[in-house]
Amino acid sequence: MRILLGLVLALPALCAAQQRQDYFGDPFVQVTSALAGCPTPEPPSMTPEELRAAAHVRSQHGGSCYRAGRCRLPDSYQYDKEIIPRVQLYLRQDGRFGDTSVWALGERRLVSLKGCVQSLEQALAMERAVLLVDDVMGVINQLMVGTSGKPPYEAARQPKP
Protein backbone atom coordinates (compact mmCIF):
# COMPACT_ATOMS: atom_id res chain seq x y z
CA MET A 1 0.00 0.00 0.00
CA ARG A 2 2.83 2.38 0.86
CA ILE A 3 4.40 1.82 -2.59
CA LEU A 4 1.09 2.51 -4.32
CA LEU A 5 0.65 5.73 -2.33
CA GLY A 6 4.18 6.78 -3.29
CA LEU A 7 3.45 6.17 -6.98
CA VAL A 8 0.20 8.13 -6.82
CA LEU A 9 1.95 11.05 -5.13
CA ALA A 10 4.78 10.99 -7.68
CA LEU A 11 2.45 10.80 -10.70
CA PRO A 12 1.82 14.58 -11.09
CA ALA A 13 5.56 15.27 -11.10
CA LEU A 14 6.18 12.53 -13.66
CA CYS A 15 3.38 13.82 -15.90
CA ALA A 16 4.66 17.40 -15.69
CA ALA A 17 8.17 16.28 -16.64
CA GLN A 18 6.83 14.33 -19.61
CA GLN A 19 4.82 17.28 -20.91
CA ARG A 20 7.90 19.31 -21.86
CA GLN A 21 8.31 19.55 -25.61
CA ASP A 22 9.40 21.92 -28.36
CA TYR A 23 5.99 23.27 -29.33
CA PHE A 24 7.42 25.87 -31.69
CA GLY A 25 9.92 23.65 -33.52
CA ASP A 26 12.84 26.01 -32.96
CA PRO A 27 15.82 24.58 -34.88
CA PHE A 28 18.52 23.22 -32.59
CA VAL A 29 21.48 21.33 -34.08
CA GLN A 30 24.90 20.12 -33.05
CA VAL A 31 27.40 21.90 -35.26
CA THR A 32 30.65 20.28 -34.07
CA SER A 33 31.50 17.44 -31.69
CA ALA A 34 35.27 17.24 -31.05
CA LEU A 35 35.44 18.04 -27.32
CA ALA A 36 34.43 15.02 -25.26
CA GLY A 37 32.85 15.93 -21.96
CA CYS A 38 31.32 19.19 -23.14
CA PRO A 39 28.01 19.70 -21.30
CA THR A 40 25.17 19.10 -23.74
CA PRO A 41 22.73 22.03 -23.80
CA GLU A 42 19.09 21.47 -22.93
CA PRO A 43 17.11 21.38 -26.19
CA PRO A 44 14.32 23.94 -26.50
CA SER A 45 11.26 22.71 -24.62
CA MET A 46 8.52 24.01 -22.39
CA THR A 47 5.47 22.94 -20.47
CA PRO A 48 1.95 23.73 -21.68
CA GLU A 49 1.81 26.49 -19.06
CA GLU A 50 5.06 28.03 -20.35
CA LEU A 51 3.69 27.71 -23.88
CA ARG A 52 0.68 29.88 -23.03
CA ALA A 53 2.95 32.55 -21.53
CA ALA A 54 5.37 32.47 -24.49
CA ALA A 55 2.79 32.50 -27.29
CA HIS A 56 1.87 36.18 -26.90
CA VAL A 57 5.48 37.33 -26.59
CA ARG A 58 6.50 35.31 -29.65
CA SER A 59 3.67 36.73 -31.73
CA GLN A 60 4.65 40.28 -30.78
CA HIS A 61 8.38 39.77 -31.37
CA GLY A 62 7.90 37.72 -34.53
CA GLY A 63 5.80 40.36 -36.30
CA SER A 64 7.53 43.52 -35.09
CA CYS A 65 10.47 43.02 -37.46
CA TYR A 66 8.14 42.94 -40.47
CA ARG A 67 6.05 45.88 -39.29
CA ALA A 68 9.22 47.93 -38.85
CA GLY A 69 10.36 47.10 -42.38
CA ARG A 70 13.46 45.15 -41.26
CA CYS A 71 12.21 41.74 -42.45
CA ARG A 72 10.80 40.58 -45.76
CA LEU A 73 8.85 37.71 -44.11
CA PRO A 74 5.85 38.50 -41.87
CA ASP A 75 7.25 36.51 -38.93
CA SER A 76 10.93 36.60 -38.00
CA TYR A 77 10.71 33.02 -36.68
CA GLN A 78 10.13 31.84 -40.28
CA TYR A 79 13.81 32.49 -41.07
CA ASP A 80 15.21 30.14 -38.44
CA LYS A 81 14.65 26.81 -40.21
CA GLU A 82 16.80 28.10 -43.09
CA ILE A 83 19.37 29.99 -41.03
CA ILE A 84 20.47 27.21 -38.68
CA PRO A 85 21.42 24.67 -41.39
CA ARG A 86 23.41 27.44 -43.11
CA VAL A 87 25.15 28.28 -39.82
CA GLN A 88 25.98 24.60 -39.36
CA LEU A 89 27.38 24.27 -42.88
CA TYR A 90 29.36 27.52 -42.69
CA LEU A 91 31.00 26.73 -39.36
CA ARG A 92 31.87 23.18 -40.42
CA GLN A 93 33.45 24.37 -43.66
CA ASP A 94 35.24 27.35 -42.11
CA GLY A 95 38.13 25.19 -40.87
CA ARG A 96 38.78 27.05 -37.60
CA PHE A 97 36.20 25.28 -35.44
CA GLY A 98 36.75 21.54 -35.98
CA ASP A 99 38.22 21.16 -32.47
CA THR A 100 35.06 22.39 -30.68
CA SER A 101 31.73 20.97 -29.52
CA VAL A 102 29.02 23.50 -30.34
CA TRP A 103 25.25 23.56 -30.77
CA ALA A 104 23.23 26.28 -32.50
CA LEU A 105 19.68 27.35 -31.68
CA GLY A 106 17.64 29.69 -33.88
CA GLU A 107 14.97 31.98 -32.51
CA ARG A 108 13.77 35.10 -34.33
CA ARG A 109 16.88 35.43 -36.54
CA LEU A 110 19.01 35.29 -33.39
CA VAL A 111 21.49 32.42 -33.22
CA SER A 112 22.46 31.10 -29.78
CA LEU A 113 25.82 29.32 -29.74
CA LYS A 114 26.19 26.89 -26.84
CA GLY A 115 29.00 24.50 -26.07
CA CYS A 116 32.75 24.32 -25.69
CA VAL A 117 35.65 25.94 -27.53
CA GLN A 118 39.43 25.96 -27.06
CA SER A 119 39.87 29.69 -26.33
CA LEU A 120 38.06 32.98 -25.88
CA GLU A 121 39.51 34.10 -29.22
CA GLN A 122 37.95 31.08 -30.91
CA ALA A 123 34.57 31.84 -29.30
CA LEU A 124 34.69 35.42 -30.57
CA ALA A 125 35.79 34.28 -34.05
CA MET A 126 32.85 31.87 -34.18
CA GLU A 127 30.45 34.62 -33.13
CA ARG A 128 31.79 36.93 -35.86
CA ALA A 129 31.57 34.12 -38.44
CA VAL A 130 27.90 33.45 -37.65
CA LEU A 131 27.11 37.15 -38.04
CA LEU A 132 28.21 36.80 -41.68
CA VAL A 133 25.47 34.24 -42.44
CA ASP A 134 22.65 35.78 -44.46
CA ASP A 135 19.54 36.78 -42.45
CA VAL A 136 21.25 36.43 -39.04
CA MET A 137 20.27 39.46 -36.98
CA GLY A 138 22.44 38.70 -33.95
CA VAL A 139 24.40 36.09 -32.02
CA ILE A 140 24.00 35.10 -28.38
CA ASN A 141 27.40 33.73 -27.42
CA GLN A 142 27.05 31.17 -24.63
CA LEU A 143 30.27 29.33 -25.39
CA MET A 144 32.60 28.20 -22.63
CA VAL A 145 36.35 27.67 -22.84
CA GLY A 146 37.17 24.03 -22.10
CA THR A 147 34.78 21.43 -20.75
CA SER A 148 34.97 21.87 -16.99
CA GLY A 149 32.98 24.21 -14.82
CA LYS A 150 29.41 25.39 -14.99
CA PRO A 151 28.27 26.17 -18.52
CA PRO A 152 26.72 29.60 -19.26
CA TYR A 153 23.63 27.78 -20.58
CA GLU A 154 21.19 25.27 -19.15
CA ALA A 155 22.68 21.80 -19.49
CA ALA A 156 20.50 18.87 -20.60
CA ARG A 157 18.56 17.20 -17.85
CA GLN A 158 19.95 13.79 -17.01
CA PRO A 159 17.36 11.03 -16.71
CA LYS A 160 17.01 9.79 -13.15
CA PRO A 161 17.98 6.14 -12.62
Side-chain angles (χ1 to χ4, degrees):
M1 186 64 152
R2 202 177 267 179
I3 293 173
L4 182 59
L5 179 61
L7 288 173
V8 168
L9 292 175
L11 190 59
L14 290 173
C15 289
Q18 293 173 353
Q19 291 178 352
R20 293 190 74 83
Q21 59 181 305
D22 183 7
Y23 291 99
F24 296 110
D26 294 327
F28 177 71
V29 300
Q30 186 165 14
V31 176
T32 60
S33 59
L35 282 175
C38 182
T40 302
E42 179 69 21
S45 67
M46 59 183 60
T47 64
E49 183 178 310
E50 292 168 330
L51 169 66
R52 287 187 288 280
H56 176 72
V57 171
R58 285 179 71 105
S59 68
Q60 292 297 313
H61 285 185
S64 65
C65 177
Y66 182 74
R67 289 189 302 277
R70 293 188 345 253
C71 295
R72 59 185 162 73
L73 299 177
D75 183 347
S76 59
Y77 290 95
Q78 291 176 335
Y79 291 87
D80 298 329
K81 287 185 179 27
E82 293 179 8
I83 287 173
I84 294 303
R86 285 188 276 134
V87 165
Q88 183 182 42
L89 179 65
Y90 185 62
L91 291 178
R92 284 182 177 174
Q93 291 183 348
D94 184 284
R96 296 178 289 169
F97 310 115
D99 59 351
T100 66
S101 286
V102 174
W103 291 259
L105 168 67
E107 292 179 301
R108 213 173 70 236
R109 297 177 56 203
L110 298 172
V111 176
S112 294
L113 296 173
K114 304 174 183 206
C116 305
V117 295
Q118 299 290 338
S119 66
L120 179 58
E121 293 77 18
Q122 190 178 41
L124 295 174
M126 186 177 283
E127 179 180 341
R128 286 189 300 272
V130 171
L131 282 170
L132 296 174
V133 175
D134 191 37
D135 291 323
V136 171
M137 187 172 71
V139 176
I140 300 165
N141 187 335
Q142 295 180 303
L143 299 169
M144 62 188 281
V145 176
T147 60
S148 60
K150 184 176 177 359
Y153 51 85
E154 186 177 342
R157 293 177 179 88
Q158 300 300 320
K160 294 184 180 177

